[in-house]
Coordinates of all heavy atoms in Angstrom, one line a residue:
M207 N -15.3 -16.9 7.9 CA -14.0 -17.4 7.5 C -13.6 -16.7 6.2 O -12.4 -16.4 6.1 CB -14.1 -18.9 7.3 CG -12.7 -19.6 7.1 SD -11.6 -19.4 8.4 CE -10.3 -20.2 7.8
I208 N -14.4 -16.7 5.2 CA -14.0 -16.0 3.9 C -13.7 -14.5 4.1 O -12.8 -14.0 3.5 CB -15.2 -16.2 2.9 CG1 -14.6 -15.8 1.5 CG2 -16.4 -15.4 3.2 CD1 -13.7 -16.8 0.9
T209 N -14.4 -13.8 5.1 CA -14.1 -12.5 5.3 C -12.6 -12.3 5.9 O -11.9 -11.4 5.5 CB -15.1 -11.9 6.4 OG1 -16.4 -12.1 5.9 CG2 -14.9 -10.4 6.6
F210 N -12.2 -13.2 6.8 CA -10.9 -13.2 7.3 C -9.9 -13.5 6.2 O -8.8 -12.8 6.2 CB -10.8 -14.3 8.4 CG -9.4 -14.4 8.9 CD1 -8.9 -13.5 9.8 CD2 -8.5 -15.5 8.6 CE1 -7.6 -13.6 10.3 CE2 -7.3 -15.6 9.1 CZ -6.8 -14.6 9.9
I211 N -10.1 -14.3 5.3 CA -9.2 -14.6 4.2 C -9.0 -13.3 3.3 O -7.9 -13.0 3.0 CB -9.6 -15.9 3.4 CG1 -9.5 -17.0 4.3 CG2 -8.8 -16.0 2.2 CD1 -10.1 -18.3 3.7
I212 N -10.1 -12.7 3.0 CA -10.1 -11.5 2.2 C -9.3 -10.4 3.0 O -8.5 -9.7 2.3 CB -11.6 -11.0 1.8 CG1 -12.1 -12.0 0.9 CG2 -11.5 -9.6 1.2 CD1 -13.6 -11.8 0.7
W213 N -9.6 -10.3 4.2 CA -8.8 -9.3 5.0 C -7.4 -9.6 5.1 O -6.5 -8.7 4.9 CB -9.4 -9.3 6.5 CG -8.7 -8.4 7.4 CD1 -8.7 -7.0 7.5 CD2 -7.6 -8.8 8.3 NE1 -7.8 -6.5 8.4 CE2 -7.1 -7.6 9.0 CE3 -7.1 -10.0 8.7 CZ2 -6.2 -7.7 9.9 CZ3 -6.1 -10.0 9.6 CH2 -5.6 -8.9 10.3
L214 N -7.0 -10.8 5.2 CA -5.6 -11.3 5.3 C -4.9 -11.0 4.0 O -3.7 -10.5 4.0 CB -5.5 -12.7 5.7 CG -4.1 -13.3 6.0 CD1 -3.5 -12.6 7.1 CD2 -4.2 -14.8 6.2
V215 N -5.6 -11.3 2.8 CA -5.0 -11.0 1.6 C -4.7 -9.5 1.4 O -3.7 -9.0 0.9 CB -5.9 -11.5 0.4 CG1 -5.4 -11.0 -0.9 CG2 -5.8 -13.0 0.4
G216 N -5.7 -8.6 1.9 CA -5.5 -7.2 1.9 C -4.4 -6.7 2.7 O -3.6 -5.8 2.3
V217 N -4.2 -7.3 3.9 CA -3.1 -6.9 4.7 C -1.7 -7.3 4.1 O -0.8 -6.5 4.1 CB -3.2 -7.5 6.1 CG1 -2.0 -7.3 7.0 CG2 -4.4 -6.9 6.9
I218 N -1.7 -8.4 3.6 CA -0.4 -8.9 2.9 C -0.1 -8.0 1.7 O 1.1 -7.5 1.6 CB -0.5 -10.3 2.5 CG1 -0.6 -11.2 3.7 CG2 0.6 -10.7 1.6 CD1 -0.9 -12.7 3.4
C219 N -1.1 -7.6 0.9 CA -0.9 -6.8 -0.2 C -0.4 -5.4 0.2 O 0.4 -4.7 -0.4 CB -2.1 -6.7 -1.1 SG -2.4 -8.2 -2.0
C220 N -1.0 -4.9 1.3 CA -0.7 -3.6 1.9 C 0.8 -3.6 2.3 O 1.5 -2.7 2.1 CB -1.5 -3.2 3.1 SG -3.1 -2.5 2.7
F221 N 1.3 -4.6 3.0 CA 2.7 -4.7 3.4 C 3.6 -4.8 2.2 O 4.6 -4.2 2.2 CB 2.9 -5.8 4.4 CG 2.4 -5.4 5.8 CD1 1.4 -6.2 6.3 CD2 3.0 -4.4 6.5 CE1 1.0 -5.9 7.6 CE2 2.5 -4.1 7.7 CZ 1.5 -4.8 8.3
W222 N 3.1 -5.4 1.1 CA 3.9 -5.5 -0.1 C 4.1 -4.1 -0.7 O 5.2 -3.7 -1.1 CB 3.3 -6.4 -1.1 CG 3.9 -6.4 -2.4 CD1 5.1 -6.9 -2.8 CD2 3.4 -5.9 -3.6 NE1 5.4 -6.7 -4.1 CE2 4.3 -6.0 -4.6 CE3 2.2 -5.2 -3.9 CZ2 4.1 -5.6 -5.9 CZ3 1.9 -4.7 -5.2 CH2 2.9 -5.0 -6.1
C223 N 3.0 -3.4 -0.7 CA 3.0 -2.0 -1.3 C 3.9 -1.0 -0.4 O 4.6 -0.2 -0.9 CB 1.6 -1.4 -1.4 SG 0.7 -2.2 -2.8
I224 N 3.7 -1.2 0.9 CA 4.5 -0.4 1.8 C 6.0 -0.7 1.7 O 6.8 0.3 1.7 CB 4.0 -0.7 3.3 CG1 2.6 -0.1 3.5 CG2 5.0 0.0 4.3 CD1 2.0 -0.4 4.7
K225 N 6.3 -1.9 1.5 CA 7.7 -2.3 1.3 C 8.2 -1.6 0.0 O 9.3 -1.1 -0.1 CB 7.9 -3.7 1.1 CG 9.3 -4.2 1.0 CD 9.5 -5.7 0.7 CE 9.0 -6.2 -0.6 NZ 9.8 -5.8 -1.7
D226 N 7.4 -1.6 -1.1 CA 7.7 -1.0 -2.3 C 7.9 0.5 -2.2 O 8.8 1.1 -2.8 CB 6.6 -1.3 -3.3 CG 7.0 -0.8 -4.8 OD1 8.1 -1.1 -5.2 OD2 6.1 -0.2 -5.4
V227 N 7.0 1.2 -1.4 CA 7.1 2.6 -1.2 C 8.5 2.9 -0.5 O 9.2 3.8 -0.8 CB 5.9 3.1 -0.4 CG1 6.2 4.5 0.1 CG2 4.6 3.1 -1.2
W228 N 8.8 2.2 0.6 CA 10.0 2.5 1.4 C 11.3 2.1 0.7 O 12.3 2.5 1.1 CB 9.9 1.9 2.7 CG 8.9 2.7 3.6 CD1 7.6 2.4 3.8 CD2 9.3 3.8 4.4 NE1 7.1 3.4 4.6 CE2 8.0 4.2 5.0 CE3 10.4 4.5 4.6 CZ2 8.0 5.4 5.9 CZ3 10.4 5.6 5.5 CH2 9.2 6.1 6.1
S229 N 11.2 1.3 -0.4 CA 12.4 1.0 -1.1 C 12.8 2.0 -2.1 O 13.9 2.0 -2.7 CB 12.2 -0.4 -1.8 OG 11.3 -0.2 -2.9
K230 N 11.9 3.0 -2.4 CA 12.2 4.1 -3.4 C 13.0 5.1 -2.7 O 12.5 5.7 -1.7 CB 11.0 4.5 -4.0 CG 10.2 3.5 -4.8 CD 9.0 4.1 -5.4 CE 8.1 3.1 -6.1 NZ 8.7 2.5 -7.2
T231 N 14.2 5.4 -3.2 CA 15.0 6.4 -2.5 C 14.7 7.9 -2.9 O 15.2 8.8 -2.3 CB 16.5 6.1 -2.7 OG1 16.7 6.0 -4.1 CG2 16.9 4.8 -2.1
S232 N 14.1 8.0 -4.0 CA 13.9 9.3 -4.5 C 12.6 10.0 -3.9 O 12.4 11.2 -4.2 CB 13.6 9.3 -6.1 OG 12.5 8.5 -6.4
V233 N 11.9 9.4 -3.0 CA 10.7 9.9 -2.4 C 11.1 10.4 -1.1 O 11.8 9.8 -0.3 CB 9.6 8.8 -2.4 CG1 8.4 9.3 -1.7 CG2 9.3 8.2 -3.7
D234 N 10.5 11.6 -0.7 CA 10.7 12.2 0.6 C 10.0 11.3 1.7 O 9.0 10.6 1.5 CB 10.1 13.6 0.6 CG 10.4 14.4 1.8 OD1 11.5 14.2 2.4 OD2 9.6 15.2 2.3
N235 N 10.6 11.4 2.9 CA 10.1 10.6 4.0 C 8.7 10.9 4.4 O 7.9 10.1 4.8 CB 11.0 10.6 5.2 CG 12.2 9.8 5.0 OD1 12.3 8.9 4.2 ND2 13.3 10.1 5.7
V236 N 8.3 12.2 4.3 CA 6.9 12.6 4.6 C 5.9 12.0 3.6 O 4.9 11.5 4.1 CB 6.8 14.2 4.5 CG1 5.4 14.6 4.7 CG2 7.7 14.8 5.5
I237 N 6.2 11.9 2.4 CA 5.4 11.2 1.4 C 5.3 9.8 1.7 O 4.2 9.2 1.6 CB 5.9 11.5 0.0 CG1 6.0 13.0 -0.3 CG2 5.1 10.8 -1.1 CD1 4.7 13.7 -0.3
K238 N 6.4 9.2 2.1 CA 6.4 7.7 2.4 C 5.5 7.5 3.6 O 4.7 6.5 3.6 CB 7.8 7.3 2.7 CG 8.7 7.2 1.5 CD 10.1 6.7 2.0 CE 11.1 6.7 0.8 NZ 12.4 6.3 1.2
I239 N 5.6 8.3 4.6 CA 4.7 8.2 5.8 C 3.2 8.3 5.4 O 2.4 7.6 5.9 CB 5.1 9.1 6.9 CG1 6.5 8.7 7.5 CG2 4.1 9.2 8.0 CD1 7.1 9.8 8.4
L240 N 2.9 9.3 4.7 CA 1.6 9.6 4.2 C 1.0 8.4 3.4 O -0.1 8.0 3.6 CB 1.4 10.9 3.4 CG 1.6 12.1 4.3 CD1 1.6 13.4 3.3 CD2 0.5 12.3 5.3
L241 N 1.8 7.9 2.5 CA 1.4 6.7 1.7 C 1.2 5.5 2.5 O 0.2 4.7 2.4 CB 2.4 6.4 0.6 CG 2.4 7.4 -0.6 CD1 3.5 7.1 -1.5 CD2 1.1 7.2 -1.4
T242 N 2.1 5.3 3.5 CA 1.9 4.2 4.4 C 0.6 4.3 5.2 O -0.1 3.3 5.4 CB 3.1 4.1 5.4 OG1 4.3 4.0 4.6 CG2 3.0 3.0 6.4
L243 N 0.4 5.4 5.8 CA -0.8 5.6 6.6 C -2.1 5.4 5.7 O -3.1 4.8 6.1 CB -0.9 7.0 7.2 CG 0.1 7.2 8.4 CD1 0.1 8.6 8.8 CD2 -0.2 6.2 9.5
G244 N -2.0 5.9 4.5 CA -3.2 5.8 3.5 C -3.4 4.3 3.2 O -4.6 3.9 3.1
L245 N -2.4 3.6 3.0 CA -2.5 2.2 2.6 C -3.1 1.4 3.8 O -3.9 0.5 3.6 CB -1.1 1.6 2.2 CG -0.7 2.0 0.8 CD1 0.7 1.6 0.6 CD2 -1.6 1.3 -0.3
L246 N -2.6 1.7 5.0 CA -3.1 0.9 6.2 C -4.5 1.3 6.6 O -5.3 0.4 7.0 CB -2.2 1.2 7.4 CG -0.8 0.5 7.3 CD1 0.1 1.0 8.5 CD2 -0.9 -1.0 7.2
C247 N -4.9 2.6 6.4 CA -6.3 3.0 6.7 C -7.3 2.6 5.7 O -8.5 2.3 6.1 CB -6.2 4.5 6.9 SG -5.4 5.0 8.4
F248 N -7.0 2.6 4.5 CA -7.9 2.3 3.4 C -7.4 1.2 2.6 O -7.1 1.3 1.4 CB -8.1 3.6 2.5 CG -8.4 4.8 3.2 CD1 -7.5 5.8 3.4 CD2 -9.7 5.0 3.8 CE1 -7.8 7.0 4.1 CE2 -10.0 6.2 4.4 CZ -9.1 7.1 4.6
S249 N -7.3 0.0 3.1 CA -6.6 -1.1 2.6 C -6.9 -1.4 1.1 O -6.1 -1.2 0.3 CB -6.7 -2.4 3.4 OG -7.9 -3.0 3.3
W250 N -8.1 -1.8 0.8 CA -8.4 -2.1 -0.6 C -8.5 -0.9 -1.5 O -8.0 -1.0 -2.7 CB -9.7 -3.0 -0.7 CG -9.5 -4.3 -0.2 CD1 -9.9 -4.9 1.0 CD2 -8.8 -5.4 -0.9 NE1 -9.5 -6.2 1.1 CE2 -8.8 -6.6 0.0 CE3 -8.2 -5.5 -2.1 CZ2 -8.2 -7.7 -0.3 CZ3 -7.6 -6.7 -2.4 CH2 -7.6 -7.8 -1.6
I251 N -9.0 0.1 -1.1 CA -9.1 1.4 -1.8 C -7.7 2.0 -2.0 O -7.3 2.4 -3.1 CB -10.0 2.4 -1.2 CG1 -11.5 1.9 -1.2 CG2 -10.0 3.8 -1.9 CD1 -12.4 2.7 -0.4
G252 N -6.9 1.9 -0.9 CA -5.6 2.4 -1.0 C -4.7 1.6 -1.9 O -3.9 2.1 -2.6
L253 N -4.9 0.3 -1.9 CA -4.2 -0.6 -2.8 C -4.5 -0.2 -4.3 O -3.5 -0.2 -5.1 CB -4.5 -2.1 -2.6 CG -3.9 -2.7 -1.3 CD1 -4.5 -4.0 -1.0 CD2 -2.5 -2.8 -1.4
A254 N -5.8 0.0 -4.6 CA -6.2 0.3 -6.0 C -5.6 1.6 -6.4 O -5.0 1.8 -7.5 CB -7.7 0.3 -6.0
V255 N -5.6 2.6 -5.5 CA -5.1 3.9 -5.8 C -3.6 3.9 -6.0 O -3.1 4.4 -7.0 CB -5.5 5.0 -4.7 CG1 -4.7 6.3 -4.9 CG2 -7.0 5.2 -4.8
Y256 N -2.9 3.2 -5.1 CA -1.5 3.0 -5.2 C -1.1 2.3 -6.5 O -0.2 2.7 -7.3 CB -0.9 2.3 -4.0 CG 0.6 2.0 -4.2 CD1 1.5 3.0 -4.0 CD2 1.1 0.8 -4.6 CE1 2.9 2.8 -4.2 CE2 2.4 0.5 -4.8 CZ 3.3 1.6 -4.5 OH 4.6 1.4 -4.7
Y257 N -1.7 1.2 -6.8 CA -1.3 0.4 -8.0 C -1.6 1.1 -9.3 O -0.8 1.1 -10.2 CB -2.0 -0.9 -8.0 CG -1.6 -1.9 -9.0 CD1 -0.3 -2.5 -8.9 CD2 -2.4 -2.1 -10.1 CE1 0.1 -3.4 -9.9 CE2 -1.9 -3.0 -11.1 CZ -0.7 -3.6 -11.0 OH -0.3 -4.4 -12.0
F258 N -2.8 1.8 -9.4 CA -3.2 2.3 -10.7 C -2.7 3.8 -10.9 O -2.6 4.2 -12.0 CB -4.7 2.2 -10.9 CG -5.2 0.8 -11.1 CD1 -6.0 0.2 -10.1 CD2 -4.8 0.1 -12.1 CE1 -6.5 -1.1 -10.3 CE2 -5.2 -1.2 -12.3 CZ -6.0 -1.8 -11.4
I259 N -2.5 4.5 -9.8 CA -2.2 5.9 -10.0 C -0.8 6.3 -9.5 O 0.0 6.9 -10.1 CB -3.2 6.8 -9.3 CG1 -4.6 6.6 -9.9 CG2 -2.9 8.3 -9.3 CD1 -5.8 7.2 -9.2
V260 N -0.5 6.0 -8.2 CA 0.7 6.5 -7.6 C 2.0 5.7 -7.9 O 3.0 6.3 -8.1 CB 0.5 6.4 -6.0 CG1 1.7 6.9 -5.3 CG2 -0.7 7.2 -5.6
K261 N 1.9 4.5 -8.2 CA 3.1 3.6 -8.4 C 3.9 4.1 -9.6 O 5.1 4.2 -9.5 CB 2.6 2.2 -8.7 CG 3.8 1.2 -8.8 CD 3.3 -0.2 -9.0 CE 4.5 -1.1 -9.1 NZ 4.1 -2.5 -9.3
D262 N 3.3 4.5 -10.6 CA 4.1 5.0 -11.8 C 4.6 6.4 -11.7 O 5.5 6.8 -12.4 CB 3.2 5.0 -13.1 CG 2.8 3.5 -13.4 OD1 3.6 2.5 -13.0 OD2 1.7 3.2 -13.9
R263 N 4.0 7.1 -10.7 CA 4.4 8.6 -10.6 C 5.5 8.8 -9.6 O 6.1 9.9 -9.5 CB 3.2 9.4 -10.2 CG 2.2 9.4 -11.3 CD 1.0 10.3 -11.0 NE 0.0 10.2 -12.1 CZ -1.0 10.9 -12.1 NH1 -1.3 11.8 -11.1 NH2 -1.9 10.8 -13.1
I264 N 5.8 7.9 -8.7 CA 6.9 8.1 -7.7 C 8.1 7.3 -8.1 O 8.1 6.4 -8.8 CB 6.4 7.8 -6.3 CG1 6.0 6.3 -6.1 CG2 5.4 8.7 -5.9 CD1 5.8 5.9 -4.7

């Protein structure tokens, strides 16, 4: 049960980051698609990379 809760929190955070990526108009669509795929494939690692590295640069 705890594993499901951790997974669910990760999925919710991924969708929050994906929404943030797609709301930025200055980013090319190819970059948006690559970030979306990266966030979905590597949920917790992708979230950490997005939050600490990518978010301030795009």
Side-chain angles (χ1 to χ4, degrees):
M207 183 67 178
I208 191 75
T209 307
F210 175 74
I211 293 171
I212 292 171
W213 175 80
L214 187 62
V215 168
V217 169
I218 291 169
C219 290
C220 277
F221 283 117
W222 172 72
C223 288
I224 291 168
K225 181 187 75 71
D226 187 47
V227 166
W228 284 92
S229 68
K230 297 183 186 293
T231 57
S232 63
V233 180
D234 189 32
N235 284 339
V236 175
I237 302 296
K238 289 179 183 180
I239 291 169
L240 290 174
L241 285 171
T242 301
L243 290 174
L245 284 167
L246 290 175
C247 291
F248 307 106
S249 74
W250 285 103
I251 296 170
L253 287 169
V255 168
Y256 175 76
Y257 186 75
F258 292 115
I259 298 173
V260 177
K261 184 176 181 182
D262 296 331
R263 294 184 182 182
I264 61 172

